[in-house]
Amino acid sequence: MDRRELIPTFPAAAASLLRGLPPAVIEALLSRLVAVTTERHPRLFDRLGAHATSRYLIDPTDLPFVLILHPAAADGRLRVLPRGTAEPREARIGGPLAALLGLIHGRYDGDALFFSRDLVIEGDTEAVLALRNAIDDAEIDLSVEALHGLGPLRALAAPPLARILPLVERLTGVSLSRPTRESLEHGY
Amino acid sequence: MATERLEIVCPAGTPAALRTAVDAGADSVYCGFNDETNARNFPGLNFSRAEMAVGIAYAAARGVKVLVAINTFPRAGSEALWHRAVDDALACGAHAVILADIGLLAYAAERHPDRRLHLSVQAAASNADAINFYAETFGIRRVVLPRVLTVEEIAAINREIDVETEVFIFGGLCVMAEGRCSLSSYATGRSPNMHGVCSPASHVAYAEEGEDLVARLGGFTIHRVPKAVAAPYPTLCKGCFQTGDYRGHIFEDPVSLDAATLMPQLARAGVRALKIEGRQRSRAYVEQVVRAFRRASEAEAAGQPIPKSELWRLTEGQQTTAGAYRKTWR
C-alpha cells in the first residue's frame, strides 16, 4: 500500500511552455496577485512579525523558475528567477506546485507534507514557520484574489471562473481555490 | 446501548484553526496567547487578546467551549505576565484555564474562585494522590493525564478521584515526564516548560545532503533520513543516535498516537474527554482530525464500531501507535 499522499505534478509539457514565457511577464502577473492578497489580508504581516523582512525562496520543483518573496520590500515583493540563479535568501521552501498551492488553500497540512518528504525547507526554520502559520490563518483563496486583481473586469470573469475552476480542480487534483465545506465533508 | 458522548477537545493555533475546529464538530477548543505563557509558543502562532475574545464568542455562539492553556512555568520575578494571562483569558470568557504551575494555580484559585481550573499535562500528575492534592488545594475540576498510563491504570486512578479526566487520543506522542523534560534545554537553552518551545525553530536547521535530509538542533545532528523515508520532528527524544554498537532511536521511535480504537475502553475507564494534540498544526489537520474524532465519539456513544480513518497520513513518522494505553512492556 502506498502510504504517501499523492501530490500531482505539473505536466512536463506545460512546464516547457512556461519556459518560453519571459520571466518579466510571469513576475508582473504574480506580483499583482501578491499585492492584492497582502492588501486584502493585512493580518498576514502581524503574524509574520520580524520575519516580514526575510527573503523566502519559493521553489516549485516542477516548474522552470523559482520565486523570491520579500514581504517587507516596499517595491518588488515578488521576483521570478530562472532556477539555479544565485540569490541571497534566508529560507527556501521547495515542493511540487500542487503542494504549495494546497498549503496556501488549507487543503494540505505543512507538517504532513514535510513528514512525507513532499516539502523541503532549508535555512531559517523560524521564518518558514512564521510564514506557514501566517498564510494558514489568512484563509487565502488565490482564485478570489486573482478576481480582485482584475478590477472592473471581475464581474465579467467571475461566472465562467466559478464553472471552470471546480472542473479543473477535479481533473488535475490541484487545489486552485479554498476547499468548500461540502468538499471537506465528503473528502474531495 | 447509547451512553454519554465523550467530549472531543481540539487544538487551535490560530483564529482560523479555531473556527475550523468549531465548524468540524469540536466540543471544546484549547488555545493560548501569543507569548511564553503557553507551551506552543511558536512563530506566527497563537492569539492576541482581541483575537481570543472574538474566537471565544464565535465558539460560544455555536455551543463550543474554549479552554485557554497557560501551562508554562512562570519565571521568578516575571509572574505578572502569567497572572495577566489568567485574568485576561477569564475576562475574555474562557470556559476554563489549563494550568501547570502550583504558584499560578494558587493565584487563579484565590482570584477566580468560581472559575474552572484544569490541570495541564505539564503538571505531570500521574497518580491519584497527586491529583487529589491539586483538587483539594486548588479546586481543579479536570486533570489532563500524562501519556504514560495504561487504560487499567487510568481506570484505577478514576476510582480514587472526584475530578474529570482528559486523556490524549491523537497526535504527537510525548512519553517523557512532561513539564520536567530537559532535553530541549540541554541542546538549546530553551524548553517547553519555561519558554513554551520544545526544539525551538530558531535552533533547528534542515539541509539536503545528497539524498539525505539532515536535521540539526542547536548544532547537534539528530537525524539523517534517507530519501523516501518519513521525516520526523527535530526533537531529541525521537533522534537517531549511536551508543556502543547500537544505532537507532534510543528514546522513542518517531510515531504518533492514535488510540481511536480504544475509545470504548477509555469511556469504561471513566475518562470524560479526549484531547487531540496539534496546536502547531494547520487548518487542514484540524479539520480532518476533528471531523474524524467527532464521528468516532458519536459511534462510541451509540455503541457502534469506531469508523476507520486515514489519519496516519497526517502523522509524524507516517505511522501510529496506541502508545502506553496498550503497554505490554514494563
Side-chain angles (χ1 to χ4, degrees):
Chain A
M1 180 172 132
D2 184 2
R3 292 180 67 84
R4 288 162 55 87
E5 181 87 50
L6 294 176
I7 308 290
T9 50
F10 200 74
S16 295
L17 284 177
L18 276 180
R19 203 170 281 120
L21 274 179
V25 172
I26 303 170
E27 185 171 294
L29 291 171
L30 292 181
S31 292
R32 175 75 183 139
L33 189 61
V34 169
V36 171
T37 304
T38 50
E39 190 183 309
R40 287 177 20 88
H41 300 274
R43 282 186 313 161
L44 260 171
F45 285 92
D46 295 339
R47 290 208 165 261
L48 270 176
H51 297 293
T53 60
S54 296
R55 290 161 298 183
Y56 297 89
L57 176 77
I58 311 295
D59 184 356
T61 49
D62 45 357
L63 294 188
F65 54 82
V66 297
L67 316 171
I68 294 282
L69 177 66
H70 189 188
D75 57 335
R77 272 186 189 144
L78 190 86
R79 292 167 55 215
V80 176
L81 301 168
R83 180 174 303 286
T85 308
E87 186 70 18
R89 80 286 180 117
E90 276 67 50
R92 170 179 170 256
I93 305 169
L97 177 67
L100 300 174
L101 290 174
L103 265 182
I104 292 171
H105 289 133
R107 167 70 75 184
Y108 300 134
D109 173 72
D111 287 14
L113 290 177
F114 170 77
F115 299 147
S116 64
R117 309 290 294 272
D118 288 302
L119 194 74
V120 175
I121 62 172
E122 290 182 293
D124 185 341
T125 311
E126 197 167 48
V128 173
L129 275 190
L131 181 64
R132 190 275 307 263
N133 292 332
I135 287 176
D136 197 56
D137 183 54
E139 298 181 294
I140 293 165
D141 186 327
L142 289 178
S143 64
V144 174
E145 313 308 333
L147 277 176
H148 278 271
L150 292 175
L153 295 177
R154 182 176 145 203
L156 208 62
L161 191 71
R163 281 196 298 275
I164 294 167
L165 213 59
L167 189 66
V168 176
E169 285 184 318
R170 286 205 185 194
L171 285 174
T172 63
V174 178
S175 169
L176 299 170
S177 59
R178 267 182 69 196
T180 61
R181 193 163 178 175
E182 186 194 19
S183 71
L184 290 169
E185 281 171 4
H186 294 92
Y188 58 81
Chain B
M1 187 183 77
T3 56
E4 189 181 358
R5 193 169 61 76
L6 287 159
E7 176 183 333
I8 303 297
V9 184
C10 308
T14 62
L18 181 147
R19 293 191 296 274
T20 300
V22 169
D23 295 347
D27 296 301
S28 48
V29 177
Y30 68 104
C31 48
F33 289 126
N34 50 3
D35 56 33
E36 60 196 295
T37 61
N38 92 80
R40 283 284 185 268
N41 181 24
F42 293 174
L45 216 58
N46 297 314
F47 291 66
S48 67
R49 266 46 175 182
E51 288 170 337
M52 186 66 79
V54 171
I56 289 173
Y58 182 90
R62 291 154 183 82
V64 176
K65 297 168 283 196
V66 173
L67 320 173
V68 179
I70 306 166
N71 55 349
T72 50
F73 295 86
R75 271 178 285 108
S78 299
E79 300 89 344
L81 178 66
W82 279 261
H83 292 173
R84 207 161 47 243
V86 169
D87 297 340
D88 291 349
L90 294 173
C92 285
H95 176 71
V97 285
I98 309 170
L99 311 177
D101 178 69
I102 281 184
L104 197 57
L105 280 157
Y107 173 85
E110 186 185 320
R111 295 295 180 94
H112 306 282
D114 300 326
R115 305 299 294 269
R116 271 181 77 97
L117 308 183
H118 291 188
L119 190 65
S120 168
V121 69
Q122 287 283 95
S126 54
N127 60 62
D129 287 346
I131 296 164
N132 284 331
F133 165 78
Y134 285 105
E136 289 158 13
T137 313
F138 307 115
I140 62 154
R141 313 269 190 92
R142 176 181 292 186
V143 56
V144 185
L145 293 176
R147 286 164 268 196
V148 294
L149 301 167
T150 62
V151 174
E152 293 75 20
E153 287 166 338
I154 292 167
I157 287 172
N158 271 327
R159 284 193 290 272
E160 294 183 43
I161 63 174
D162 291 325
V163 299
E164 300 169 0
T165 49
E166 176 178 313
V167 300
F168 282 89
I169 193 74
F170 186 86
L173 188 56
C174 178
V175 297
M176 297 297 165
E178 292 182 67
R180 313 282 186 272
C181 178
S182 294
L183 283 174
S184 178
S185 286
Y186 175 74
T188 70
R190 295 170 71 78
S191 75
N193 316 323
M194 302 299 290
H195 309 93
V197 277
C198 178
S199 298
S202 54
H203 290 67
V204 173
Y206 296 106
E208 284 190 305
E209 295 182 4
E211 294 213 320
D212 293 349
L213 174 70
V214 177
R216 295 190 174 86
L217 178 69
F220 299 100
T221 300
I222 58 173
H223 297 296
R224 180 178 288 275
V225 191
K227 195 177 175 66
V229 172
Y233 277 130
T235 48
L236 279 170
C237 60
K238 291 167 187 168
C240 190
F241 305 107
Q242 185 160 345
T243 174
D245 294 333
Y246 178 78
R247 182 175 179 178
H249 298 101
I250 303 285
F251 301 111
E252 182 185 354
D253 289 343
V255 296
S256 298
L257 177 70
D258 184 356
T261 57
L262 295 177
M263 284 169 66
Q265 291 94 313
L266 290 167
R268 283 196 295 275
V271 167
R272 175 72 196 88
L274 304 175
K275 185 171 214 137
I276 296 166
E277 184 274 347
R279 280 191 283 148
Q280 76 285 13
R281 304 292 293 265
S282 67
R283 283 182 287 128
Y285 169 94
V286 168
E287 201 282 331
Q288 291 175 60
V289 179
V290 172
R291 196 174 295 286
F293 275 94
R294 174 63 185 245
R295 269 193 217 119
S297 74
E298 286 172 354
E300 191 281 323
Q304 294 168 354
I306 304 297
K308 281 195 162 53
S309 78
E310 291 284 300
L311 295 178
W312 59 264
R313 290 179 186 279
L314 293 166
T315 62
E316 181 181 19
Q318 309 263 284
Q319 51 185 326
T320 58
T321 169
Y325 296 132
R326 226 182 237 154
K327 188 165 60 184
T328 51
W329 43 268
R330 175 159 309 266

mmCIF file of all heavy atoms in Angstrom, chain A residues 153-181:
data_model
loop_
_atom_site.group_PDB
_atom_site.id
_atom_site.type_symbol
_atom_site.label_atom_id
_atom_site.label_comp_id
_atom_site.label_asym_id
_atom_site.label_seq_id
_atom_site.Cartn_x
_atom_site.Cartn_y
_atom_site.Cartn_z
ATOM 1 N N LEU A 153 -13.044 44.227 -14.378
ATOM 2 C CA LEU A 153 -13.374 43.033 -15.179
ATOM 3 C C LEU A 153 -13.828 41.864 -14.306
ATOM 4 O O LEU A 153 -14.214 40.802 -14.809
ATOM 5 C CB LEU A 153 -12.153 42.604 -16.003
ATOM 6 C CG LEU A 153 -11.695 43.581 -17.080
ATOM 7 C CD1 LEU A 153 -10.444 43.063 -17.765
ATOM 8 C CD2 LEU A 153 -12.803 43.794 -18.112
ATOM 9 N N ARG A 154 -13.751 42.080 -13.006
ATOM 10 C CA ARG A 154 -14.043 40.995 -12.057
ATOM 11 C C ARG A 154 -15.446 40.412 -12.277
ATOM 12 O O ARG A 154 -15.620 39.193 -12.348
ATOM 13 C CB ARG A 154 -13.917 41.559 -10.641
ATOM 14 C CG ARG A 154 -14.147 40.571 -9.554
ATOM 15 C CD ARG A 154 -13.886 41.269 -8.232
ATOM 16 N NE ARG A 154 -14.776 40.774 -7.214
ATOM 17 C CZ ARG A 154 -15.103 41.425 -6.124
ATOM 18 N NH1 ARG A 154 -14.631 42.638 -5.917
ATOM 19 N NH2 ARG A 154 -15.898 40.899 -5.236
ATOM 20 N N ALA A 155 -16.432 41.298 -12.391
ATOM 21 C CA ALA A 155 -17.819 40.837 -12.519
ATOM 22 C C ALA A 155 -18.000 39.987 -13.779
ATOM 23 O O ALA A 155 -18.777 39.030 -13.799
ATOM 24 C CB ALA A 155 -18.761 42.034 -12.549
ATOM 25 N N LEU A 156 -17.235 40.348 -14.816
ATOM 26 C CA LEU A 156 -17.322 39.627 -16.083
ATOM 27 C C LEU A 156 -16.679 38.242 -15.978
ATOM 28 O O LEU A 156 -17.174 37.254 -16.523
ATOM 29 C CB LEU A 156 -16.594 40.461 -17.154
ATOM 30 C CG LEU A 156 -17.055 40.317 -18.600
ATOM 31 C CD1 LEU A 156 -18.498 40.770 -18.738
ATOM 32 C CD2 LEU A 156 -16.136 41.121 -19.514
ATOM 33 N N ALA A 157 -15.568 38.180 -15.258
ATOM 34 C CA ALA A 157 -14.777 36.937 -15.206
ATOM 35 C C ALA A 157 -15.311 35.942 -14.180
ATOM 36 O O ALA A 157 -15.070 34.737 -14.306
ATOM 37 C CB ALA A 157 -13.327 37.278 -14.889
ATOM 38 N N ALA A 158 -16.014 36.442 -13.165
ATOM 39 C CA ALA A 158 -16.399 35.566 -12.049
ATOM 40 C C ALA A 158 -17.295 34.393 -12.464
ATOM 41 O O ALA A 158 -17.008 33.244 -12.097
ATOM 42 C CB ALA A 158 -17.058 36.388 -10.948
ATOM 43 N N PRO A 159 -18.368 34.620 -13.234
ATOM 44 C CA PRO A 159 -19.264 33.489 -13.545
ATOM 45 C C PRO A 159 -18.581 32.341 -14.296
ATOM 46 O O PRO A 159 -18.699 31.185 -13.881
ATOM 47 C CB PRO A 159 -20.392 34.139 -14.363
ATOM 48 C CG PRO A 159 -20.350 35.579 -13.996
ATOM 49 C CD PRO A 159 -18.916 35.892 -13.734
ATOM 50 N N PRO A 160 -17.823 32.628 -15.403
ATOM 51 C CA PRO A 160 -17.174 31.484 -16.068
ATOM 52 C C PRO A 160 -16.135 30.801 -15.179
ATOM 53 O O PRO A 160 -16.000 29.576 -15.207
ATOM 54 C CB PRO A 160 -16.506 32.113 -17.311
ATOM 55 C CG PRO A 160 -16.496 33.577 -17.087
ATOM 56 C CD PRO A 160 -17.616 33.886 -16.157
ATOM 57 N N LEU A 161 -15.431 31.593 -14.365
ATOM 58 C CA LEU A 161 -14.420 31.003 -13.490
ATOM 59 C C LEU A 161 -15.070 30.045 -12.490
ATOM 60 O O LEU A 161 -14.548 28.961 -12.211
ATOM 61 C CB LEU A 161 -13.656 32.106 -12.745
ATOM 62 C CG LEU A 161 -12.404 31.639 -11.999
ATOM 63 C CD1 LEU A 161 -11.300 31.257 -12.976
ATOM 64 C CD2 LEU A 161 -11.893 32.714 -11.038
ATOM 65 N N ALA A 162 -16.217 30.452 -11.960
ATOM 66 C CA ALA A 162 -16.914 29.616 -10.975
ATOM 67 C C ALA A 162 -17.314 28.274 -11.572
ATOM 68 O O ALA A 162 -17.414 27.269 -10.869
ATOM 69 C CB ALA A 162 -18.145 30.351 -10.447
ATOM 70 N N ARG A 163 -17.557 28.267 -12.900
ATOM 71 C CA ARG A 163 -17.932 26.999 -13.548
ATOM 72 C C ARG A 163 -16.706 26.155 -13.884
ATOM 73 O O ARG A 163 -16.704 24.945 -13.711
ATOM 74 C CB ARG A 163 -18.732 27.300 -14.827
ATOM 75 C CG ARG A 163 -20.190 27.663 -14.572
ATOM 76 C CD ARG A 163 -21.008 27.564 -15.854
ATOM 77 N NE ARG A 163 -20.539 28.487 -16.878
ATOM 78 C CZ ARG A 163 -20.921 29.763 -16.962
ATOM 79 N NH1 ARG A 163 -21.761 30.262 -16.075
ATOM 80 N NH2 ARG A 163 -20.463 30.539 -17.926
ATOM 81 N N ILE A 164 -15.650 26.835 -14.356
ATOM 82 C CA ILE A 164 -14.471 26.097 -14.859
ATOM 83 C C ILE A 164 -13.594 25.570 -13.718
ATOM 84 O O ILE A 164 -13.091 24.449 -13.771
ATOM 85 C CB ILE A 164 -13.642 27.024 -15.789
ATOM 86 C CG1 ILE A 164 -14.438 27.348 -17.044
ATOM 87 C CG2 ILE A 164 -12.312 26.387 -16.158
ATOM 88 C CD1 ILE A 164 -13.864 28.479 -17.859
ATOM 89 N N LEU A 165 -13.443 26.380 -12.680
ATOM 90 C CA LEU A 165 -12.463 26.054 -11.626
ATOM 91 C C LEU A 165 -12.683 24.684 -10.976
ATOM 92 O O LEU A 165 -11.746 23.878 -10.904
ATOM 93 C CB LEU A 165 -12.481 27.163 -10.569
ATOM 94 C CG LEU A 165 -11.150 27.450 -9.897
ATOM 95 C CD1 LEU A 165 -10.082 27.851 -10.900
ATOM 96 C CD2 LEU A 165 -11.323 28.552 -8.853
ATOM 97 N N PRO A 166 -13.914 24.385 -10.532
ATOM 98 C CA PRO A 166 -14.110 23.074 -9.899
ATOM 99 C C PRO A 166 -13.792 21.927 -10.836
ATOM 100 O O PRO A 166 -13.257 20.894 -10.426
ATOM 101 C CB PRO A 166 -15.592 23.069 -9.523
ATOM 102 C CG PRO A 166 -16.007 24.502 -9.531
ATOM 103 C CD PRO A 166 -15.146 25.173 -10.542
ATOM 104 N N LEU A 167 -14.096 22.131 -12.128
ATOM 105 C CA LEU A 167 -13.830 21.088 -13.122
ATOM 106 C C LEU A 167 -12.323 20.854 -13.249
ATOM 107 O O LEU A 167 -11.847 19.713 -13.229
ATOM 108 C CB LEU A 167 -14.424 21.537 -14.471
ATOM 109 C CG LEU A 167 -14.434 20.504 -15.580
ATOM 110 C CD1 LEU A 167 -15.371 19.356 -15.226
ATOM 111 C CD2 LEU A 167 -14.850 21.150 -16.905
ATOM 112 N N VAL A 168 -11.572 21.953 -13.368
ATOM 113 C CA VAL A 168 -10.106 21.833 -13.498
ATOM 114 C C VAL A 168 -9.524 21.197 -12.236
ATOM 115 O O VAL A 168 -8.630 20.348 -12.307
ATOM 116 C CB VAL A 168 -9.480 23.233 -13.745
ATOM 117 C CG1 VAL A 168 -7.958 23.136 -13.770
ATOM 118 C CG2 VAL A 168 -9.991 23.827 -15.043
ATOM 119 N N GLU A 169 -10.057 21.588 -11.083
ATOM 120 C CA GLU A 169 -9.545 21.017 -9.827
ATOM 121 C C GLU A 169 -9.780 19.513 -9.772
ATOM 122 O O GLU A 169 -8.909 18.751 -9.365
ATOM 123 C CB GLU A 169 -10.208 21.703 -8.627
ATOM 124 C CG GLU A 169 -9.666 23.104 -8.385
ATOM 125 C CD GLU A 169 -10.251 23.749 -7.146
ATOM 126 O OE1 GLU A 169 -11.474 23.609 -6.925
ATOM 127 O OE2 GLU A 169 -9.502 24.406 -6.411
ATOM 128 N N ARG A 170 -10.959 19.093 -10.201
ATOM 129 C CA ARG A 170 -11.265 17.656 -10.154
ATOM 130 C C ARG A 170 -10.420 16.879 -11.148
ATOM 131 O O ARG A 170 -9.974 15.775 -10.879
ATOM 132 C CB ARG A 170 -12.741 17.420 -10.449
ATOM 133 C CG ARG A 170 -13.604 17.829 -9.275
ATOM 134 C CD ARG A 170 -14.911 17.085 -9.284
ATOM 135 N NE ARG A 170 -15.754 17.602 -8.219
ATOM 136 C CZ ARG A 170 -16.831 17.003 -7.793
ATOM 137 N NH1 ARG A 170 -17.198 15.870 -8.326
ATOM 138 N NH2 ARG A 170 -17.549 17.517 -6.833
ATOM 139 N N LEU A 171 -10.191 17.481 -12.345
ATOM 140 C CA LEU A 171 -9.419 16.787 -13.382
ATOM 141 C C LEU A 171 -7.943 16.684 -13.021
ATOM 142 O O LEU A 171 -7.295 15.671 -13.273
ATOM 143 C CB LEU A 171 -9.571 17.519 -14.729
ATOM 144 C CG LEU A 171 -10.908 17.330 -15.437
ATOM 145 C CD1 LEU A 171 -10.997 18.217 -16.675
ATOM 146 C CD2 LEU A 171 -11.104 15.864 -15.830
ATOM 147 N N THR A 172 -7.405 17.749 -12.405
ATOM 148 C CA THR A 172 -5.954 17.778 -12.144
ATOM 149 C C THR A 172 -5.598 17.377 -10.720
ATOM 150 O O THR A 172 -4.454 17.020 -10.448
ATOM 151 C CB THR A 172 -5.401 19.198 -12.380
ATOM 152 O OG1 THR A 172 -6.028 20.094 -11.435
ATOM 153 C CG2 THR A 172 -5.664 19.672 -13.795
ATOM 154 N N GLY A 173 -6.553 17.462 -9.803
ATOM 155 C CA GLY A 173 -6.254 17.193 -8.395
ATOM 156 C C GLY A 173 -5.518 18.333 -7.721
ATOM 157 O O GLY A 173 -5.061 18.206 -6.591
ATOM 158 N N VAL A 174 -5.392 19.450 -8.427
ATOM 159 C CA VAL A 174 -4.658 20.599 -7.872
ATOM 160 C C VAL A 174 -5.647 21.567 -7.225
ATOM 161 O O VAL A 174 -6.691 21.871 -7.805
ATOM 162 C CB VAL A 174 -3.857 21.322 -8.985
ATOM 163 C CG1 VAL A 174 -3.141 22.545 -8.422
ATOM 164 C CG2 VAL A 174 -2.855 20.364 -9.607
ATOM 165 N N SER A 175 -5.311 22.025 -6.027
ATOM 166 C CA SER A 175 -6.179 22.946 -5.299
ATOM 167 C C SER A 175 -5.959 24.367 -5.819
ATOM 168 O O SER A 175 -4.923 24.969 -5.556
ATOM 169 C CB SER A 175 -5.849 22.860 -3.804
ATOM 170 O OG SER A 175 -6.480 23.884 -3.106
ATOM 171 N N LEU A 176 -6.937 24.887 -6.553
ATOM 172 C CA LEU A 176 -6.811 26.236 -7.113
ATOM 173 C C LEU A 176 -7.640 27.255 -6.341
ATOM 174 O O LEU A 176 -7.650 28.435 -6.653
ATOM 175 C CB LEU A 176 -7.248 26.224 -8.581
ATOM 176 C CG LEU A 176 -6.413 25.317 -9.492
ATOM 177 C CD1 LEU A 176 -7.054 25.186 -10.857
ATOM 178 C CD2 LEU A 176 -4.991 25.850 -9.614
ATOM 179 N N SER A 177 -8.365 26.754 -5.325
ATOM 180 C CA SER A 177 -9.193 27.649 -4.515
ATOM 181 C C SER A 177 -9.344 27.011 -3.130
ATOM 182 O O SER A 177 -8.981 25.845 -2.938
ATOM 183 C CB SER A 177 -10.573 27.837 -5.155
ATOM 184 O OG SER A 177 -11.203 26.570 -5.266
ATOM 185 N N ARG A 178 -9.891 27.774 -2.173
ATOM 186 C CA ARG A 178 -10.112 27.206 -0.839
ATOM 187 C C ARG A 178 -11.168 26.112 -0.914
ATOM 188 O O ARG A 178 -12.202 26.301 -1.551
ATOM 189 C CB ARG A 178 -10.610 28.299 0.117
ATOM 190 C CG ARG A 178 -9.498 28.979 0.890
ATOM 191 C CD ARG A 178 -10.071 30.000 1.824
ATOM 192 N NE ARG A 178 -10.808 29.390 2.917
ATOM 193 C CZ ARG A 178 -11.660 30.048 3.691
ATOM 194 N NH1 ARG A 178 -11.894 31.319 3.486
ATOM 195 N NH2 ARG A 178 -12.272 29.431 4.662
ATOM 196 N N PRO A 179 -10.943 24.978 -0.250
ATOM 197 C CA PRO A 179 -11.954 23.917 -0.291
ATOM 198 C C PRO A 179 -13.273 24.417 0.303
ATOM 199 O O PRO A 179 -13.277 25.180 1.265
ATOM 200 C CB PRO A 179 -11.362 22.818 0.598
ATOM 201 C CG PRO A 179 -9.929 23.165 0.789
ATOM 202 C CD PRO A 179 -9.801 24.637 0.589
ATOM 203 N N THR A 180 -14.372 24.002 -0.311
ATOM 204 C CA THR A 180 -15.667 24.353 0.245
ATOM 205 C C THR A 180 -15.970 23.430 1.425
ATOM 206 O O THR A 180 -15.374 22.369 1.567
ATOM 207 C CB THR A 180 -16.775 24.170 -0.798
ATOM 208 O OG1 THR A 180 -16.784 22.779 -1.170
ATOM 209 C CG2 THR A 180 -16.541 25.033 -2.016
ATOM 210 N N ARG A 181 -16.936 23.834 2.245
ATOM 211 C CA ARG A 181 -17.319 22.990 3.378
ATOM 212 C C ARG A 181 -17.826 21.629 2.894
ATOM 213 O O ARG A 181 -17.528 20.594 3.478
ATOM 214 C CB ARG A 181 -18.412 23.724 4.164
ATOM 215 C CG ARG A 181 -18.653 23.107 5.499
ATOM 216 C CD ARG A 181 -19.397 24.056 6.386
ATOM 217 N NE ARG A 181 -19.655 23.403 7.645
ATOM 218 C CZ ARG A 181 -20.206 24.003 8.664
ATOM 219 N NH1 ARG A 181 -20.516 25.261 8.595
ATOM 220 N NH2 ARG A 181 -20.432 23.350 9.772
#
